[in-house]
Amino acid sequence: MTRCVLGQNQYGKAENRVVKITRDGDTHHIKDLNVSVALSGDMEEVHRSGSNANVLPTDTTKNTVYAFAKRFGIDSAEDFGIRLARHFVDDTAPIHRARIRIEEYAWDRIDTPDGTPATGHSFVRRGQEIRRAQITYDGHSVQVLSGLKDLTVLNSTGSEFWGFLRDEYTTLEEDRDRILATTVSTWWRHTWDGTGAPAPDWDRSYRRVRTHALRAFAETYSYSLQQTLFAMGVRVLESCDGIDEIRFSMPNQHHFRSDLSPFGLTNDAADGAVYHAADRPYGLIEATVLRDGADQLIPADLTNL
Amino acid sequence: MTRCVLGQNQYGKAENRVVKITRDGDTHHIKDLNVSVALSGDMEEVHRSGSNANVLPTDTTKNTVYAFAKRFGIDSAEDFGIRLARHFVDDTAPIHRARIRIEEYAWDRIDTPDGTPATGHSFVRRGQEIRRAQITYDGHSVQVLSGLKDLTVLNSTGSEFWGFLRDEYTTLEEDRDRILATTVSTWWRHTWDGTGAPAPDWDRSYRRVRTHALRAFAETYSYSLQQTLFAMGVRVLESCDGIDEIRFSMPNQHHFRSDLSPFGLTNDAADGAVYHAADRPYGLIEATVLRDGADQLIPADLTNL
Amino acid sequence: MTRCVLGQNQYGKAENRVVKITRDGDTHHIKDLNVSVALSGDMEEVHRSGSNANVLPTDTTKNTVYAFAKRFGIDSAEDFGIRLARHFVDDTAPIHRARIRIEEYAWDRIDTPDGTPATGHSFVRRGQEIRRAQITYDGHSVQVLSGLKDLTVLNSTGSEFWGFLRDEYTTLEEDRDRILATTVSTWWRHTWDGTGAPAPDWDRSYRRVRTHALRAFAETYSYSLQQTLFAMGVRVLESCDGIDEIRFSMPNQHHFRSDLSPFGLTNDAADGAVYHAADRPYGLIEATVLRDGADQLIPADLTNL
Amino acid sequence: MTRCVLGQNQYGKAENRVVKITRDGDTHHIKDLNVSVALSGDMEEVHRSGSNANVLPTDTTKNTVYAFAKRFGIDSAEDFGIRLARHFVDDTAPIHRARIRIEEYAWDRIDTPDGTPATGHSFVRRGQEIRRAQITYDGHSVQVLSGLKDLTVLNSTGSEFWGFLRDEYTTLEEDRDRILATTVSTWWRHTWDGTGAPAPDWDRSYRRVRTHALRAFAETYSYSLQQTLFAMGVRVLESCDGIDEIRFSMPNQHHFRSDLSPFGLTNDAADGAVYHAADRPYGLIEATVLRDGADQLIPADLTNL
């Protein structure tokens, strides 16, 4: 008879949409998060017999998210996730590991034409990238990944692609002036592990990584998307202390120059061209960049499409 | 035997994703559109026998979009759509009516920390609302609708809901301080019809409508989403000459205050509360606002979800 | 000063996801609906002053959906929608018109290998098309539209496209053997108006329309998608009494034969070819087919993409 | 100065939508795949300097997918992926590892009312689960994962949840008769590694896993979704030789019994109840089940939501 073993397992309530308003007189502040909880521990019995004696209900993990938002506020996704992860592991005997994943949606204030806020309580969702964080705690140390997704960028020149390997299925023409466009998905890992030193300023850290990654994208004269990706990773590691590893997943969102020659039109990049923005297929470039000596800990499949 | 009649019909190529770069020395400009073409005319025969003698292929309408982008550039979605619509009707005998729908995606420049552009050719997609336009031309006059969708806004106070009609299925409690959040979807109609006066400045018009709609949302102390919607429409009509009609479709994106009393926590709006942002169901409020004496021409189903 | 007028308006709770189980001993039955309510009536005041005295809360319309599902069961989407529409208009003085839109998700039983049900209570979602209905009631008569969407079909031969109109932007080559693929979106209108005769058997009617539309798609040797669409409409009207009008929106989901000649491979349709299934752009064909003498009442924009 | 190291990296063309028709007289067969290629190897240089000398263009990997579909046909997703993976690694010196991911969309024949096919070339997309495969080849052996996603199942009874762990944030009531619904996402790993024995019959294997997983879902009287998940894994391993490991990711798609007591209605499960199908948040249960002694090789993050 087949004997079966339980391998890696986790459970919890996913996608708790929590919004916290903080009032400072007539000026309000908003935090808008999507929080997912995944717990592991002594779970052999629930899988084999269905006994829930060790199972804190996912409904309880949801309640905890909302109650903690009120009790402690939300300084940043990272702070909030750390607090939740520590609570579940430290305060629940059968739980040995907690992983909290958070997406954060940014809001701007609705402005009047002269740039002052229309009111202290009116917001418009920014709509650009989604910030995210993953906190994992095993009862001893904390691992914090920060990241973002859905940040779409484009260089309308400064990108070439040539000199590539050819085989019998290669028909691609070389291109000395192409559009380079991608939607950045990335995670980076902080060295801080929850012991010893105080935690980083997560918001400041996020802004620095975002700024340096964007600038490296803009400023790199590119011969391949891999080169641009690596330059972005290097720039982040060089500019941001306390980060040891960063992984990018970047689709090459092809913009094909239209062939308008049947209509007697030239369509050269140098003159300002017309492009067809394609959906599928797309190139997909993924890589981890590490500080020398650092361990590679961000799972490759975490950024996969 | 049943005799069948052909009713309203139209065809064309939908969702042509056209990107036009314009170079002004090292400073580039980008227009990023999604263009859909729908043509009507003498089409009885193709439906009955399959004869395509009157059918300009949808592939040709696609080619025309890309060729026109190169030949004439893209000043605005409205200008571009008008040119396309006129071409299809005026230059193709069997085509009597053209409707062009366009979505436009906005891009910002990638900035350095001091706010200057990193390069003249590096962009980040804005990600907020999608601008749109619909141009219809019947050989005589042009109807231009402009619009936007996916603009998510929220007031964290200044909204109440009470004094409503009650029947045997009413259990809702009154609320004197709630979050009001919606994702605005709207179309407005210009009086300009392509004859006589020169066309409006479409970009300036768009910015005005957007600004006034946003400010009316922010500044209206609200007793119902209907009231806010109507105030937005009135503000647009009062502030923007040349617009006679505007229709909104606005979901009421419920933010429910969490009941934290089982955990010994109060969660009053006045103190800064925690909310659950719900997905479905949601209220859905739709209405047209008209300048007195104007005809109602925007189809109700155009903004429907 | 600008005087503004309130035009067409409606409100209600959208996307109420209601599941009703009926137990017949150990054999269960499931109805899985997504119900959207839109009400109109004496609503001037709520738009102008925010007074909700005439506003039955959308929360109440939600409660009514769930309570009616229990009180009366759900025979079919149409029956359920008719009952709801009549209730809102007949029992709520300020409400003069109700429109109920319903999507229905179909479930099959989980079978054992010999085809018998594994249990009486185990289901797998069918996943093919979504059935839908729209019921409108104005206090006098009922209009019932039935429909479906997301039904994807493909003929791997029996489709040609040639003899089309050419202009200076036409480059398309003629094709004597192409794939014809589309995702059918359709609404049809029943002559029954809620007065006089008993209501049709909605489930039987739905099966008939679906069967005849599918067979017409399969059996029509096609020279254009318009011809196929019209044949589908005619077949439905000829085969199904009590239906006067049907409207289709059918994207032409292009399957482009790959050019494999650079690799020394022929890729002719006659030998069984390889195709690239494209996303965007796509042709979009829309038309209404009417029984002779019938009014055209299905809004064109209802099936628009 | 910071020294940076290149970690795990891969690239290729993602989401190649390939459709292959095979003609057997008037009877046609269809294979409809979405193929993603990811290659790794000597890629240090392209990341550092942008030299593409070792980079087979992603465009070439796309061409290869289409050319192989014609040259060799598509017996199954697994066969096709194995052939592609071996080609990229064995025939391209700098490529040391290839991972092919494939989604497959199933089609049925359009039938006449008596169940015979309407034609030999007319198909309707099945629309239920998406089958998938992942093949990884490193020059020595092959790892084959098969899987499926988007298979939605529901038991309308035979599920309880009680006796769970309680803490101060627990408010959930016990339930002795609830709906259990989930959308199954799963990968399983074959022992076959491409050396020695001939490959399994992939289609037969797929049908067996699917059947046994579905039946275990239906036949397990459940005290927790974990128990059901584990039973499904055990059933698959017991019933299907040549599979050593299976991982499931199963959201608990909550169906909440409506509280209709304010309307004087009871709504007990035993009588056939009305439920609200909720969107978010949802429980998320994930686990690997292994044959005793087998290595755990399916990445945990591969099935994550």
Side-chain angles (χ1 to χ4, degrees):
Chain A
M1 203 198 110
T2 305
R3 160 123 182 100
C4 291
V5 177
L6 177 65
Q8 200 279 348
N9 64 89
Q10 59 197 18
Y11 83 101
K13 195 70 100 192
E15 301 209 36
N16 298 282
R17 294 280 291 102
V18 56
V19 173
K20 174 72 178 72
I21 303 294
T22 307
R23 298 190 175 197
D24 178 11
D26 284 344
T27 301
H28 294 197
H29 304 275
I30 184 170
K31 279 289 191 183
D32 183 358
L33 305 183
N34 192 19
V35 180
S36 296
V37 175
L39 308 177
S40 307
D42 290 339
M43 295 295 152
E44 192 78 21
E45 214 31 49
V46 65
H47 286 88
R48 294 201 176 269
S49 72
S51 161
N52 293 301
N54 281 356
V55 177
L56 191 70
T58 65
D59 185 75
T60 300
T61 68
K62 178 193 71 175
N63 288 345
T64 309
V65 168
Y66 289 93
F68 272 42
K70 179 64 189 176
R71 201 183 286 275
F72 305 107
I74 301 174
D75 270 349
S76 69
E78 285 85 352
D79 282 321
F80 189 61
I82 292 167
R83 191 182 294 274
L84 283 167
R86 283 188 158 140
H87 161 71
F88 288 122
V89 175
D90 292 344
D91 300 347
T92 321
I95 305 299
H96 302 162
R97 177 183 177 274
R99 189 201 70 197
I100 312 294
R101 280 191 181 159
I102 301 178
E103 295 190 341
E104 179 172 354
Y105 313 110
W107 296 80
D108 293 318
R109 292 187 188 280
I110 294 178
D111 288 334
T112 57
D114 67 8
T116 58
T119 77
H121 60 263
S122 298
F123 303 90
V124 55
R125 186 156 153 189
R126 190 175 299 157
Q128 226 163 40
E129 87 269 12
I130 294 173
R131 178 175 168 178
R132 53 189 183 175
Q134 173 180 295
I135 294 88
T136 313
Y137 176 62
D138 62 2
H140 302 287
S141 63
V142 171
Q143 184 199 66
V144 180
L145 306 184
S146 298
L148 62 81
K149 66 175 183 178
D150 298 345
L151 182 66
T152 300
V153 291
L154 178 151
N155 284 325
S156 54
T157 189
S159 168
E160 308 189 10
F161 189 60
W162 50 266
F164 38 76
L165 190 63
R166 293 181 169 280
D167 70 7
E168 64 176 308
Y169 296 107
T170 303
T171 57
L172 187 69
E173 293 184 28
E174 302 195 331
D175 197 340
R176 302 281 169 156
D177 191 351
R178 65 171 185 172
I179 282 183
L180 187 71
T182 189
T183 296
V184 180
S185 175
T186 177
W187 288 104
W188 55 92
R189 182 171 53 79
H190 300 274
T191 54
W192 183 81
D193 70 352
T195 65
D201 179 332
W202 303 110
D203 287 349
R204 184 169 167 279
S205 168
Y206 182 84
R207 286 193 303 271
R208 283 181 67 87
V209 173
R210 184 185 188 279
T211 297
H212 285 288
L214 274 179
R215 290 192 58 193
F217 175 83
E219 295 167 7
T220 302
Y221 192 95
S222 176
Y223 296 95
S224 73
L225 186 50
Q226 282 93 332
Q227 178 198 8
T228 293
L229 180 157
F230 193 71
M232 292 165 72
V234 168
R235 185 82 67 97
V236 168
L237 296 184
E238 283 178 346
S239 311
C240 307
D241 290 341
I243 296 173
D244 263 10
E245 179 183 8
I246 184 165
R247 184 169 175 85
F248 292 95
S249 179
M250 289 172 33
N252 190 346
Q253 294 174 314
H254 305 303
H255 286 66
F256 296 115
R257 208 146 31 85
S258 304
D259 176 11
L260 304 177
S261 60
F263 321 123
L265 295 167
T266 57
N267 191 30
D268 294 338
D271 302 325
V274 172
Y275 300 83
H276 169 61
D279 294 310
R280 292 189 297 183
Y282 49 87
L284 181 55
I285 315 296
E286 302 172 289
T288 296
V289 187
L290 296 154
R291 205 175 289 276
D292 197 14
D295 290 326
Q296 181 171 305
L297 298 176
I298 303 176
D301 281 303
L302 203 54
T303 47
N304 267 356
L305 295 187
Chain B
M1 202 197 110
T2 305
R3 161 119 183 104
C4 291
V5 177
L6 177 65
Q8 199 279 349
N9 64 88
Q10 58 197 20
Y11 82 101
K13 194 72 99 192
E15 302 209 36
N16 298 282
R17 293 281 292 104
V18 57
V19 173
K20 175 71 177 72
I21 303 294
T22 307
R23 297 189 175 198
D24 178 11
D26 285 345
T27 301
H28 294 197
H29 305 275
I30 183 169
K31 278 288 191 183
D32 184 358
L33 306 184
N34 191 21
V35 180
S36 295
V37 176
L39 308 178
S40 307
D42 289 339
M43 294 295 151
E44 192 79 20
E45 212 33 48
V46 64
H47 287 88
R48 293 202 176 268
S49 72
S51 161
N52 293 300
N54 281 355
V55 177
L56 191 71
T58 65
D59 186 74
T60 300
T61 67
K62 177 193 73 177
N63 288 346
T64 309
V65 168
Y66 288 94
F68 271 42
K70 179 63 189 177
R71 201 184 287 273
F72 305 107
I74 300 173
D75 269 350
S76 68
E78 285 86 353
D79 283 321
F80 189 60
I82 292 167
R83 192 182 293 275
L84 284 167
R86 284 189 158 138
H87 162 71
F88 287 121
V89 175
D90 292 344
D91 300 348
T92 319
I95 305 297
H96 302 161
R97 178 182 175 275
R99 190 200 69 197
I100 312 293
R101 281 190 181 160
I102 301 180
E103 295 190 340
E104 178 171 356
Y105 313 110
W107 295 80
D108 293 319
R109 294 188 187 279
I110 295 178
D111 288 332
T112 58
D114 66 8
T116 60
T119 77
H121 60 262
S122 298
F123 302 89
V124 54
R125 185 156 154 189
R126 191 174 300 158
Q128 228 161 38
E129 86 270 11
I130 293 173
R131 177 175 168 178
R132 53 188 183 174
Q134 173 181 297
I135 293 88
T136 312
Y137 176 63
D138 62 2
H140 302 286
S141 64
V142 172
Q143 183 200 67
V144 180
L145 306 184
S146 298
L148 61 82
K149 65 175 185 179
D150 297 347
L151 181 66
T152 300
V153 290
L154 179 150
N155 284 326
S156 53
T157 190
S159 168
E160 310 190 8
F161 190 60
W162 50 267
F164 38 76
L165 190 63
R166 294 182 168 279
D167 70 7
E168 64 176 308
Y169 296 108
T170 303
T171 58
L172 187 69
E173 294 183 27
E174 302 196 331
D175 196 340
R176 303 281 170 156
D177 191 351
R178 63 172 186 171
I179 281 183
L180 187 71
T182 189
T183 295
V184 180
S185 175
T186 178
W187 288 103
W188 55 92
R189 182 170 54 81
H190 301 274
T191 54
W192 184 81
D193 69 353
T195 64
D201 179 332
W202 304 109
D203 287 350
R204 183 169 168 280
S205 168
Y206 182 84
R207 285 192 304 271
R208 282 182 68 86
V209 173
R210 184 185 189 279
T211 296
H212 285 288
L214 276 177
R215 288 192 58 191
F217 175 83
E219 294 168 8
T220 303
Y221 192 95
S222 177
Y223 296 95
S224 73
L225 185 50
Q226 282 92 331
Q227 178 198 8
T228 293
L229 180 157
F230 192 70
M232 293 167 70
V234 168
R235 185 83 66 98
V236 168
L237 295 184
E238 284 179 345
S239 311
C240 307
D241 290 341
I243 297 174
D244 264 11
E245 179 183 7
I246 184 164
R247 185 170 175 83
F248 292 94
S249 180
M250 291 174 28
N252 191 346
Q253 296 174 314
H254 306 303
H255 285 66
F256 296 115
R257 208 145 32 85
S258 305
D259 176 9
L260 304 178
S261 59
F263 321 123
L265 295 166
T266 58
N267 190 31
D268 294 337
D271 303 326
V274 172
Y275 300 83
H276 168 62
D279 294 311
R280 292 190 295 185
Y282 47 88
L284 181 56
I285 314 298
E286 302 172 287
T288 296
V289 188
L290 296 153
R291 203 176 291 276
D292 196 13
D295 290 327
Q296 181 172 304
L297 299 176
I298 303 176
D301 281 303
L302 203 57
T303 48
N304 267 355
L305 293 188
Chain C
M1 203 197 110
T2 305
R3 161 123 181 101
C4 290
V5 177
L6 177 65
Q8 198 280 347
N9 64 88
Q10 58 197 20
Y11 82 100
K13 194 72 97 191
E15 301 207 37
N16 298 282
R17 294 279 293 104
V18 57
V19 173
K20 174 71 178 74
I21 303 294
T22 306
R23 297 190 176 198
D24 178 9
D26 285 344
T27 301
H28 294 198
H29 304 276
I30 183 170
K31 279 288 190 182
D32 184 357
L33 306 184
N34 192 20
V35 180
S36 296
V37 176
L39 307 178
S40 307
D42 289 340
M43 295 294 150
E44 193 79 20
E45 213 32 48
V46 64
H47 287 88
R48 294 203 176 267
S49 73
S51 161
N52 293 301
N54 281 355
V55 177
L56 191 70
T58 65
D59 185 74
T60 300
T61 68
K62 178 193 73 176
N63 288 346
T64 309
V65 168
Y66 288 94
F68 271 41
K70 178 63 188 177
R71 200 183 289 273
F72 305 107
I74 301 174
D75 269 349
S76 68
E78 286 85 354
D79 283 321
F80 189 60
I82 292 166
R83 192 182 292 274
L84 284 167
R86 284 188 158 140
H87 161 71
F88 288 122
V89 174
D90 293 344
D91 300 349
T92 321
I95 305 298
H96 302 162
R97 178 182 175 275
R99 191 200 69 198
I100 313 293
R101 281 191 180 157
I102 301 179
E103 296 189 339
E104 178 171 354
Y105 313 110
W107 295 80
D108 293 318
R109 294 189 187 277
I110 295 178
D111 288 334
T112 57
D114 67 8
T116 59
T119 77
H121 60 263
S122 298
F123 302 90
V124 55
R125 186 156 152 187
R126 191 176 300 158
Q128 229 162 36
E129 87 270 10
I130 293 172
R131 177 174 168 179
R132 53 187 182 175
Q134 172 180 298
I135 293 88
T136 312
Y137 176 62
D138 62 1
H140 302 286
S141 63
V142 171
Q143 183 200 67
V144 180
L145 306 184
S146 298
L148 62 82
K149 66 175 185 178
D150 298 346
L151 181 67
T152 300
V153 290
L154 179 151
N155 284 326
S156 54
T157 190
S159 168
E160 310 191 9
F161 190 59
W162 50 266
F164 37 77
L165 189 64
R166 294 183 169 278
D167 69 7
E168 63 176 309
Y169 296 108
T170 303
T171 57
L172 186 70
E173 294 183 27
E174 301 195 331
D175 196 339
R176 303 281 170 156
D177 192 351
R178 65 172 185 171
I179 282 184
L180 187 71
T182 189
T183 296
V184 180
S185 176
T186 179
W187 287 104
W188 55 93
R189 182 170 54 80
H190 301 273
T191 54
W192 183 82
D193 70 353
T195 64
D201 179 333
W202 304 109
D203 288 349
R204 183 169 168 279
S205 169
Y206 182 85
R207 285 192 305 270
R208 283 182 68 86
V209 173
R210 184 186 188 278
T211 296
H212 285 288
L214 275 178
R215 289 193 58 192
F217 175 83
E219 295 167 8
T220 302
Y221 192 95
S222 177
Y223 296 96
S224 73
L225 185 49
Q226 281 93 332
Q227 178 198 7
T228 293
L229 180 156
F230 192 71
M232 293 165 71
V234 169
R235 184 84 66 99
V236 168
L237 296 184
E238 283 178 347
S239 311
C240 307
D241 290 341
I243 297 174
D244 263 11
E245 179 184 7
I246 184 165
R247 184 169 175 86
F248 292 95
S249 180
M250 291 176 25
N252 190 346
Q253 296 175 313
H254 306 304
H255 286 66
F256 296 116
R257 208 145 32 85
S258 304
D259 176 10
L260 304 177
S261 60
F263 321 124
L265 294 167
T266 58
N267 191 32
D268 294 337
D271 302 327
V274 172
Y275 300 83
H276 168 62
D279 294 309
R280 293 188 296 184
Y282 49 89
L284 181 56
I285 315 297
E286 302 172 288
T288 296
V289 187
L290 297 153
R291 203 175 291 275
D292 197 13
D295 290 326
Q296 181 172 304
L297 298 176
I298 304 176
D301 281 302
L302 203 57
T303 48
N304 266 356
L305 294 188
Chain D
M1 202 197 110
T2 305
R3 162 124 182 99
C4 290
V5 177
L6 177 64
Q8 200 279 348
N9 64 88
Q10 58 197 20
Y11 82 101
K13 194 72 98 191
E15 300 206 38
N16 298 281
R17 293 280 291 103
V18 57
V19 173
K20 174 73 178 73
I21 303 294
T22 306
R23 296 189 177 198
D24 178 10
D26 285 343
T27 302
H28 294 197
H29 304 276
I30 183 170
K31 279 290 191 182
D32 183 358
L33 306 183
N34 191 20
V35 181
S36 296
V37 175
L39 307 178
S40 307
D42 290 339
M43 294 296 151
E44 192 79 20
E45 212 34 46
V46 65
H47 286 88
R48 294 200 175 270
S49 73
S51 162
N52 293 302
N54 281 356
V55 176
L56 192 69
T58 64
D59 185 75
T60 300
T61 68
K62 178 193 71 175
N63 288 345
T64 308
V65 168
Y66 288 94
F68 271 42
K70 179 64 188 174
R71 200 183 286 275
F72 305 108
I74 301 175
D75 269 350
S76 68
E78 285 85 354
D79 283 321
F80 189 60
I82 291 167
R83 192 183 292 274
L84 284 167
R86 283 188 159 139
H87 162 71
F88 288 122
V89 174
D90 292 344
D91 300 349
T92 320
I95 305 299
H96 301 162
R97 177 182 175 275
R99 189 202 69 197
I100 312 294
R101 280 190 182 160
I102 301 178
E103 294 189 341
E104 179 172 354
Y105 313 110
W107 295 80
D108 293 319
R109 293 187 188 278
I110 294 178
D111 288 333
T112 57
D114 67 7
T116 59
T119 78
H121 60 263
S122 298
F123 302 90
V124 55
R125 186 156 154 187
R126 190 174 301 160
Q128 226 162 40
E129 87 269 11
I130 294 173
R131 177 175 168 178
R132 53 189 183 175
Q134 172 181 297
I135 294 89
T136 313
Y137 176 62
D138 62 1
H140 302 286
S141 64
V142 171
Q143 184 200 68
V144 180
L145 306 184
S146 299
L148 62 82
K149 66 175 183 178
D150 298 344
L151 182 66
T152 300
V153 290
L154 178 151
N155 284 326
S156 53
T157 190
S159 167
E160 309 190 9
F161 189 60
W162 49 267
F164 37 77
L165 190 63
R166 294 181 170 278
D167 70 7
E168 62 176 310
Y169 296 108
T170 303
T171 57
L172 187 70
E173 293 183 27
E174 303 195 332
D175 197 340
R176 303 283 168 156
D177 191 351
R178 65 170 185 172
I179 282 184
L180 187 70
T182 189
T183 295
V184 181
S185 175
T186 176
W187 287 104
W188 54 92
R189 182 170 56 79
H190 300 274
T191 54
W192 183 81
D193 70 354
T195 65
D201 178 333
W202 303 109
D203 287 350
R204 184 168 168 279
S205 168
Y206 182 83
R207 286 191 304 270
R208 283 181 68 87
V209 172
R210 184 184 188 280
T211 297
H212 285 288
L214 275 178
R215 290 191 57 192
F217 175 83
E219 295 167 8
T220 301
Y221 192 95
S222 176
Y223 296 96
S224 73
L225 186 49
Q226 281 93 332
Q227 178 198 7
T228 293
L229 180 157
F230 193 71
M232 292 166 70
V234 168
R235 185 83 65 98
V236 168
L237 296 184
E238 283 178 346
S239 310
C240 308
D241 290 341
I243 296 173
D244 264 11
E245 179 184 8
I246 185 164
R247 184 170 176 83
F248 292 95
S249 178
M250 291 174 29
N252 191 345
Q253 296 174 314
H254 305 303
H255 285 66
F256 296 115
R257 208 145 31 86
S258 303
D259 175 11
L260 304 177
S261 59
F263 320 124
L265 295 167
T266 57
N267 191 30
D268 294 337
D271 303 325
V274 172
Y275 300 83
H276 168 62
D279 294 310
R280 293 190 294 185
Y282 48 89
L284 181 56
I285 314 297
E286 303 171 289
T288 297
V289 187
L290 296 154
R291 205 174 288 276
D292 197 16
D295 291 326
Q296 181 172 304
L297 298 176
I298 303 176
D301 280 303
L302 203 55
T303 48
N304 266 356
L305 295 188

